[in-house]
PDB file of all heavy atoms in Angstrom:
ATOM      1  N   ARG A 108     -15.355  27.881  35.500  1.00  0.00           N
ATOM      2  CA  ARG A 108     -16.739  27.984  35.976  1.00  0.00           C
ATOM      3  C   ARG A 108     -16.819  28.003  37.500  1.00  0.00           C
ATOM      4  O   ARG A 108     -17.623  28.734  38.090  1.00  0.00           O
ATOM      5  CB  ARG A 108     -17.567  26.825  35.428  1.00  0.00           C
ATOM      6  CG  ARG A 108     -19.046  26.896  35.780  1.00  0.00           C
ATOM      7  CD  ARG A 108     -19.796  25.698  35.228  1.00  0.00           C
ATOM      8  NE  ARG A 108     -21.232  25.857  35.367  1.00  0.00           N
ATOM      9  CZ  ARG A 108     -21.917  25.553  36.454  1.00  0.00           C
ATOM     10  NH1 ARG A 108     -21.289  25.078  37.523  1.00  0.00           N
ATOM     11  NH2 ARG A 108     -23.230  25.728  36.492  1.00  0.00           N
ATOM     12  N   GLY A 109     -16.007  27.192  38.170  1.00  0.00           N
ATOM     13  CA  GLY A 109     -16.079  27.094  39.621  1.00  0.00           C
ATOM     14  C   GLY A 109     -15.153  28.026  40.373  1.00  0.00           C
ATOM     15  O   GLY A 109     -15.046  27.918  41.600  1.00  0.00           O
ATOM     16  N   LYS A 110     -14.495  28.949  39.663  1.00  0.00           N
ATOM     17  CA  LYS A 110     -13.543  29.828  40.333  1.00  0.00           C
ATOM     18  C   LYS A 110     -14.219  30.961  41.085  1.00  0.00           C
ATOM     19  O   LYS A 110     -13.631  31.528  42.006  1.00  0.00           O
ATOM     20  CB  LYS A 110     -12.554  30.407  39.312  1.00  0.00           C
ATOM     21  CG  LYS A 110     -11.726  29.354  38.565  1.00  0.00           C
ATOM     22  CD  LYS A 110     -10.916  28.491  39.503  1.00  0.00           C
ATOM     23  CE  LYS A 110     -10.061  27.499  38.731  1.00  0.00           C
ATOM     24  NZ  LYS A 110      -9.302  26.605  39.644  1.00  0.00           N
ATOM     25  N   LEU A 111     -15.422  31.324  40.693  1.00  0.00           N
ATOM     26  CA  LEU A 111     -16.164  32.378  41.381  1.00  0.00           C
ATOM     27  C   LEU A 111     -17.492  31.824  41.867  1.00  0.00           C
ATOM     28  O   LEU A 111     -18.212  31.172  41.112  1.00  0.00           O
ATOM     29  CB  LEU A 111     -16.420  33.570  40.449  1.00  0.00           C
ATOM     30  CG  LEU A 111     -15.217  34.412  40.023  1.00  0.00           C
ATOM     31  CD1 LEU A 111     -15.678  35.523  39.079  1.00  0.00           C
ATOM     32  CD2 LEU A 111     -14.519  35.014  41.232  1.00  0.00           C
ATOM     33  N   ASP A 112     -17.823  32.091  43.108  1.00  0.00           N
ATOM     34  CA  ASP A 112     -19.107  31.657  43.662  1.00  0.00           C
ATOM     35  C   ASP A 112     -20.139  32.746  43.398  1.00  0.00           C
ATOM     36  O   ASP A 112     -20.603  33.439  44.304  1.00  0.00           O
ATOM     37  CB  ASP A 112     -18.962  31.382  45.158  1.00  0.00           C
ATOM     38  CG  ASP A 112     -20.229  30.765  45.748  1.00  0.00           C
ATOM     39  OD1 ASP A 112     -21.063  30.261  44.953  1.00  0.00           O
ATOM     40  OD2 ASP A 112     -20.377  30.779  46.975  1.00  0.00           O
ATOM     41  N   ASP A 113     -20.474  32.881  42.119  1.00  0.00           N
ATOM     42  CA  ASP A 113     -21.381  33.942  41.673  1.00  0.00           C
ATOM     43  C   ASP A 113     -22.331  33.349  40.635  1.00  0.00           C
ATOM     44  O   ASP A 113     -21.879  32.862  39.595  1.00  0.00           O
ATOM     45  CB  ASP A 113     -20.571  35.089  41.068  1.00  0.00           C
ATOM     46  CG  ASP A 113     -21.425  36.268  40.649  1.00  0.00           C
ATOM     47  OD1 ASP A 113     -22.678  36.129  40.629  1.00  0.00           O
ATOM     48  OD2 ASP A 113     -20.868  37.319  40.315  1.00  0.00           O
ATOM     49  N   PRO A 114     -23.651  33.380  40.878  1.00  0.00           N
ATOM     50  CA  PRO A 114     -24.602  32.803  39.918  1.00  0.00           C
ATOM     51  C   PRO A 114     -24.493  33.416  38.527  1.00  0.00           C
ATOM     52  O   PRO A 114     -24.665  32.716  37.532  1.00  0.00           O
ATOM     53  CB  PRO A 114     -25.972  33.093  40.550  1.00  0.00           C
ATOM     54  CG  PRO A 114     -25.688  33.262  42.008  1.00  0.00           C
ATOM     55  CD  PRO A 114     -24.323  33.874  42.077  1.00  0.00           C
ATOM     56  N   ARG A 115     -24.227  34.720  38.447  1.00  0.00           N
ATOM     57  CA  ARG A 115     -24.105  35.356  37.134  1.00  0.00           C
ATOM     58  C   ARG A 115     -22.893  34.833  36.377  1.00  0.00           C
ATOM     59  O   ARG A 115     -22.936  34.655  35.157  1.00  0.00           O
ATOM     60  CB  ARG A 115     -24.022  36.876  37.293  1.00  0.00           C
ATOM     61  CG  ARG A 115     -25.315  37.516  37.781  1.00  0.00           C
ATOM     62  CD  ARG A 115     -25.144  38.993  38.010  1.00  0.00           C
ATOM     63  NE  ARG A 115     -24.123  39.249  39.032  1.00  0.00           N
ATOM     64  CZ  ARG A 115     -23.729  40.464  39.411  1.00  0.00           C
ATOM     65  NH1 ARG A 115     -24.266  41.531  38.836  1.00  0.00           N
ATOM     66  NH2 ARG A 115     -22.816  40.612  40.351  1.00  0.00           N
ATOM     67  N   TRP A 116     -21.792  34.609  37.097  1.00  0.00           N
ATOM     68  CA  TRP A 116     -20.595  34.056  36.463  1.00  0.00           C
ATOM     69  C   TRP A 116     -20.861  32.651  35.942  1.00  0.00           C
ATOM     70  O   TRP A 116     -20.496  32.318  34.822  1.00  0.00           O
ATOM     71  CB  TRP A 116     -19.448  34.068  37.455  1.00  0.00           C
ATOM     72  CG  TRP A 116     -18.218  33.343  36.977  1.00  0.00           C
ATOM     73  CD1 TRP A 116     -17.751  32.141  37.418  1.00  0.00           C
ATOM     74  CD2 TRP A 116     -17.317  33.779  35.960  1.00  0.00           C
ATOM     75  NE1 TRP A 116     -16.612  31.783  36.749  1.00  0.00           N
ATOM     76  CE2 TRP A 116     -16.315  32.781  35.851  1.00  0.00           C
ATOM     77  CE3 TRP A 116     -17.236  34.906  35.153  1.00  0.00           C
ATOM     78  CZ2 TRP A 116     -15.267  32.875  34.944  1.00  0.00           C
ATOM     79  CZ3 TRP A 116     -16.189  35.004  34.251  1.00  0.00           C
ATOM     80  CH2 TRP A 116     -15.228  34.003  34.154  1.00  0.00           C
ATOM     81  N   ARG A 117     -21.517  31.839  36.754  1.00  0.00           N
ATOM     82  CA  ARG A 117     -21.811  30.469  36.332  1.00  0.00           C
ATOM     83  C   ARG A 117     -22.777  30.472  35.150  1.00  0.00           C
ATOM     84  O   ARG A 117     -22.662  29.642  34.249  1.00  0.00           O
ATOM     85  CB  ARG A 117     -22.376  29.662  37.498  1.00  0.00           C
ATOM     86  CG  ARG A 117     -21.357  29.347  38.574  1.00  0.00           C
ATOM     87  CD  ARG A 117     -21.852  28.266  39.513  1.00  0.00           C
ATOM     88  NE  ARG A 117     -22.991  28.713  40.288  1.00  0.00           N
ATOM     89  CZ  ARG A 117     -22.906  29.286  41.483  1.00  0.00           C
ATOM     90  NH1 ARG A 117     -21.706  29.481  42.048  1.00  0.00           N
ATOM     91  NH2 ARG A 117     -23.985  29.667  42.141  1.00  0.00           N
ATOM     92  N   ARG A 118     -23.724  31.404  35.145  1.00  0.00           N
ATOM     93  CA  ARG A 118     -24.661  31.489  34.016  1.00  0.00           C
ATOM     94  C   ARG A 118     -23.919  31.858  32.737  1.00  0.00           C
ATOM     95  O   ARG A 118     -24.178  31.292  31.672  1.00  0.00           O
ATOM     96  CB  ARG A 118     -25.743  32.527  34.314  1.00  0.00           C
ATOM     97  CG  ARG A 118     -26.857  32.582  33.261  1.00  0.00           C
ATOM     98  CD  ARG A 118     -27.921  33.611  33.616  1.00  0.00           C
ATOM     99  NE  ARG A 118     -28.529  33.305  34.894  1.00  0.00           N
ATOM    100  CZ  ARG A 118     -28.397  34.062  35.995  1.00  0.00           C
ATOM    101  NH1 ARG A 118     -27.659  35.173  35.962  1.00  0.00           N
ATOM    102  NH2 ARG A 118     -29.001  33.725  37.118  1.00  0.00           N
ATOM    103  N   ALA A 119     -22.971  32.794  32.838  1.00  0.00           N
ATOM    104  CA  ALA A 119     -22.189  33.172  31.661  1.00  0.00           C
ATOM    105  C   ALA A 119     -21.344  31.991  31.170  1.00  0.00           C
ATOM    106  O   ALA A 119     -21.241  31.761  29.961  1.00  0.00           O
ATOM    107  CB  ALA A 119     -21.287  34.364  31.989  1.00  0.00           C
ATOM    108  N   CYS A 120     -20.757  31.253  32.083  1.00  0.00           N
ATOM    109  CA  CYS A 120     -19.967  30.080  31.690  1.00  0.00           C
ATOM    110  C   CYS A 120     -20.846  29.012  31.049  1.00  0.00           C
ATOM    111  O   CYS A 120     -20.434  28.351  30.090  1.00  0.00           O
ATOM    112  CB  CYS A 120     -19.237  29.511  32.908  1.00  0.00           C
ATOM    113  SG  CYS A 120     -17.865  30.531  33.495  1.00  0.00           S
ATOM    114  N   ASP A 121     -22.056  28.831  31.574  1.00  0.00           N
ATOM    115  CA  ASP A 121     -22.963  27.844  30.990  1.00  0.00           C
ATOM    116  C   ASP A 121     -23.342  28.229  29.562  1.00  0.00           C
ATOM    117  O   ASP A 121     -23.434  27.369  28.679  1.00  0.00           O
ATOM    118  CB  ASP A 121     -24.224  27.709  31.849  1.00  0.00           C
ATOM    119  CG  ASP A 121     -23.935  27.056  33.201  1.00  0.00           C
ATOM    120  OD1 ASP A 121     -22.860  26.456  33.349  1.00  0.00           O
ATOM    121  OD2 ASP A 121     -24.796  27.162  34.103  1.00  0.00           O
ATOM    122  N   LEU A 122     -23.568  29.525  29.340  1.00  0.00           N
ATOM    123  CA  LEU A 122     -23.851  29.980  27.972  1.00  0.00           C
ATOM    124  C   LEU A 122     -22.648  29.749  27.062  1.00  0.00           C
ATOM    125  O   LEU A 122     -22.799  29.348  25.899  1.00  0.00           O
ATOM    126  CB  LEU A 122     -24.220  31.465  27.979  1.00  0.00           C
ATOM    127  CG  LEU A 122     -25.618  31.814  28.482  1.00  0.00           C
ATOM    128  CD1 LEU A 122     -25.780  33.335  28.595  1.00  0.00           C
ATOM    129  CD2 LEU A 122     -26.683  31.254  27.540  1.00  0.00           C
ATOM    130  N   ALA A 123     -21.443  29.985  27.584  1.00  0.00           N
ATOM    131  CA  ALA A 123     -20.238  29.753  26.795  1.00  0.00           C
ATOM    132  C   ALA A 123     -20.085  28.274  26.458  1.00  0.00           C
ATOM    133  O   ALA A 123     -19.687  27.915  25.344  1.00  0.00           O
ATOM    134  CB  ALA A 123     -19.012  30.253  27.560  1.00  0.00           C
ATOM    135  N   ILE A 124     -20.399  27.407  27.409  1.00  0.00           N
ATOM    136  CA  ILE A 124     -20.320  25.965  27.153  1.00  0.00           C
ATOM    137  C   ILE A 124     -21.350  25.566  26.098  1.00  0.00           C
ATOM    138  O   ILE A 124     -21.046  24.770  25.193  1.00  0.00           O
ATOM    139  CB  ILE A 124     -20.541  25.176  28.460  1.00  0.00           C
ATOM    140  CG1 ILE A 124     -19.363  25.397  29.413  1.00  0.00           C
ATOM    141  CG2 ILE A 124     -20.723  23.681  28.168  1.00  0.00           C
ATOM    142  CD1 ILE A 124     -19.582  24.830  30.799  1.00  0.00           C
ATOM    143  N   PHE A 125     -22.552  26.117  26.178  1.00  0.00           N
ATOM    144  CA  PHE A 125     -23.594  25.773  25.208  1.00  0.00           C
ATOM    145  C   PHE A 125     -23.181  26.198  23.801  1.00  0.00           C
ATOM    146  O   PHE A 125     -23.155  25.381  22.871  1.00  0.00           O
ATOM    147  CB  PHE A 125     -24.918  26.434  25.586  1.00  0.00           C
ATOM    148  CG  PHE A 125     -25.980  26.289  24.526  1.00  0.00           C
ATOM    149  CD1 PHE A 125     -26.702  25.111  24.399  1.00  0.00           C
ATOM    150  CD2 PHE A 125     -26.247  27.327  23.636  1.00  0.00           C
ATOM    151  CE1 PHE A 125     -27.661  24.964  23.414  1.00  0.00           C
ATOM    152  CE2 PHE A 125     -27.212  27.189  22.646  1.00  0.00           C
ATOM    153  CZ  PHE A 125     -27.918  25.999  22.545  1.00  0.00           C
ATOM    154  N   TRP A 126     -22.850  27.477  23.631  1.00  0.00           N
ATOM    155  CA  TRP A 126     -22.514  27.967  22.291  1.00  0.00           C
ATOM    156  C   TRP A 126     -21.163  27.417  21.822  1.00  0.00           C
ATOM    157  O   TRP A 126     -20.970  27.186  20.623  1.00  0.00           O
ATOM    158  CB  TRP A 126     -22.502  29.494  22.278  1.00  0.00           C
ATOM    159  CG  TRP A 126     -23.880  30.065  22.346  1.00  0.00           C
ATOM    160  CD1 TRP A 126     -24.442  30.738  23.388  1.00  0.00           C
ATOM    161  CD2 TRP A 126     -24.882  29.989  21.332  1.00  0.00           C
ATOM    162  NE1 TRP A 126     -25.734  31.089  23.096  1.00  0.00           N
ATOM    163  CE2 TRP A 126     -26.028  30.639  21.828  1.00  0.00           C
ATOM    164  CE3 TRP A 126     -24.926  29.443  20.054  1.00  0.00           C
ATOM    165  CZ2 TRP A 126     -27.210  30.758  21.103  1.00  0.00           C
ATOM    166  CZ3 TRP A 126     -26.095  29.549  19.314  1.00  0.00           C
ATOM    167  CH2 TRP A 126     -27.210  30.209  19.832  1.00  0.00           C
ATOM    168  N   GLY A 127     -20.246  27.196  22.764  1.00  0.00           N
ATOM    169  CA  GLY A 127     -18.965  26.608  22.396  1.00  0.00           C
ATOM    170  C   GLY A 127     -19.075  25.156  21.993  1.00  0.00           C
ATOM    171  O   GLY A 127     -18.135  24.600  21.412  1.00  0.00           O
ATOM    172  N   SER A 128     -20.203  24.545  22.279  1.00  0.00           N
ATOM    173  CA  SER A 128     -20.477  23.179  21.836  1.00  0.00           C
ATOM    174  C   SER A 128     -21.362  23.168  20.596  1.00  0.00           C
ATOM    175  O   SER A 128     -21.129  22.383  19.662  1.00  0.00           O
ATOM    176  CB  SER A 128     -21.171  22.391  22.963  1.00  0.00           C
ATOM    177  OG  SER A 128     -20.396  22.334  24.129  1.00  0.00           O
ATOM    178  N   ALA A 129     -22.374  24.024  20.570  1.00  0.00           N
ATOM    179  CA  ALA A 129     -23.333  24.020  19.464  1.00  0.00           C
ATOM    180  C   ALA A 129     -22.705  24.476  18.151  1.00  0.00           C
ATOM    181  O   ALA A 129     -22.951  23.862  17.098  1.00  0.00           O
ATOM    182  CB  ALA A 129     -24.532  24.909  19.820  1.00  0.00           C
ATOM    183  N   LEU A 130     -21.905  25.536  18.191  1.00  0.00           N
ATOM    184  CA  LEU A 130     -21.314  26.050  16.947  1.00  0.00           C
ATOM    185  C   LEU A 130     -20.373  25.041  16.278  1.00  0.00           C
ATOM    186  O   LEU A 130     -20.514  24.771  15.084  1.00  0.00           O
ATOM    187  CB  LEU A 130     -20.597  27.373  17.212  1.00  0.00           C
ATOM    188  CG  LEU A 130     -21.485  28.614  17.348  1.00  0.00           C
ATOM    189  CD1 LEU A 130     -20.645  29.834  17.700  1.00  0.00           C
ATOM    190  CD2 LEU A 130     -22.260  28.868  16.059  1.00  0.00           C
ATOM    191  N   PRO A 131     -19.416  24.453  17.007  1.00  0.00           N
ATOM    192  CA  PRO A 131     -18.577  23.445  16.334  1.00  0.00           C
ATOM    193  C   PRO A 131     -19.366  22.230  15.872  1.00  0.00           C
ATOM    194  O   PRO A 131     -19.080  21.673  14.797  1.00  0.00           O
ATOM    195  CB  PRO A 131     -17.562  23.058  17.421  1.00  0.00           C
ATOM    196  CG  PRO A 131     -17.518  24.213  18.341  1.00  0.00           C
ATOM    197  CD  PRO A 131     -18.916  24.760  18.351  1.00  0.00           C
ATOM    198  N   ALA A 132     -20.357  21.809  16.656  1.00  0.00           N
ATOM    199  CA  ALA A 132     -21.157  20.649  16.263  1.00  0.00           C
ATOM    200  C   ALA A 132     -21.831  20.886  14.913  1.00  0.00           C
ATOM    201  O   ALA A 132     -21.967  19.954  14.102  1.00  0.00           O
ATOM    202  CB  ALA A 132     -22.205  20.342  17.330  1.00  0.00           C
ATOM    203  N   PHE A 133     -22.246  22.105  14.665  1.00  0.00           N
ATOM    204  CA  PHE A 133     -22.885  22.445  13.389  1.00  0.00           C
ATOM    205  C   PHE A 133     -21.852  22.723  12.302  1.00  0.00           C
ATOM    206  O   PHE A 133     -21.945  22.211  11.179  1.00  0.00           O
ATOM    207  CB  PHE A 133     -23.793  23.658  13.578  1.00  0.00           C
ATOM    208  CG  PHE A 133     -24.441  24.145  12.313  1.00  0.00           C
ATOM    209  CD1 PHE A 133     -25.518  23.471  11.750  1.00  0.00           C
ATOM    210  CD2 PHE A 133     -23.966  25.283  11.673  1.00  0.00           C
ATOM    211  CE1 PHE A 133     -26.108  23.914  10.582  1.00  0.00           C
ATOM    212  CE2 PHE A 133     -24.554  25.736  10.509  1.00  0.00           C
ATOM    213  CZ  PHE A 133     -25.627  25.052   9.959  1.00  0.00           C
ATOM    214  N   LEU A 134     -20.830  23.512  12.626  1.00  0.00           N
ATOM    215  CA  LEU A 134     -19.884  23.964  11.600  1.00  0.00           C
ATOM    216  C   LEU A 134     -18.978  22.848  11.097  1.00  0.00           C
ATOM    217  O   LEU A 134     -18.555  22.880   9.934  1.00  0.00           O
ATOM    218  CB  LEU A 134     -19.049  25.120  12.142  1.00  0.00           C
ATOM    219  CG  LEU A 134     -19.798  26.445  12.327  1.00  0.00           C
ATOM    220  CD1 LEU A 134     -18.895  27.495  12.949  1.00  0.00           C
ATOM    221  CD2 LEU A 134     -20.349  26.945  10.999  1.00  0.00           C
ATOM    222  N   TRP A 135     -18.668  21.848  11.930  1.00  0.00           N
ATOM    223  CA  TRP A 135     -17.880  20.725  11.419  1.00  0.00           C
ATOM    224  C   TRP A 135     -18.635  19.993  10.326  1.00  0.00           C
ATOM    225  O   TRP A 135     -18.045  19.551   9.331  1.00  0.00           O
ATOM    226  CB  TRP A 135     -17.521  19.762  12.549  1.00  0.00           C
ATOM    227  CG  TRP A 135     -16.348  20.162  13.386  1.00  0.00           C
ATOM    228  CD1 TRP A 135     -16.285  20.231  14.743  1.00  0.00           C
ATOM    229  CD2 TRP A 135     -15.035  20.528  12.922  1.00  0.00           C
ATOM    230  NE1 TRP A 135     -15.034  20.627  15.164  1.00  0.00           N
ATOM    231  CE2 TRP A 135     -14.239  20.807  14.058  1.00  0.00           C
ATOM    232  CE3 TRP A 135     -14.450  20.651  11.659  1.00  0.00           C
ATOM    233  CZ2 TRP A 135     -12.908  21.200  13.964  1.00  0.00           C
ATOM    234  CZ3 TRP A 135     -13.122  21.044  11.565  1.00  0.00           C
ATOM    235  CH2 TRP A 135     -12.366  21.316  12.708  1.00  0.00           C
TER     236      TRP A 135
END
Side-chain angles (χ1 to χ4, degrees):
R108 184 181 189 275
K110 300 301 183 182
L111 291 179
D112 187 17
D113 183 349
R115 291 176 299 178
W116 172 253
R117 289 195 294 268
R118 186 179 301 113
C120 288
D121 291 344
L122 285 173
I124 292 171
F125 172 80
W126 287 110
S128 301
L130 282 176
F133 177 76
L134 289 177
W135 279 129

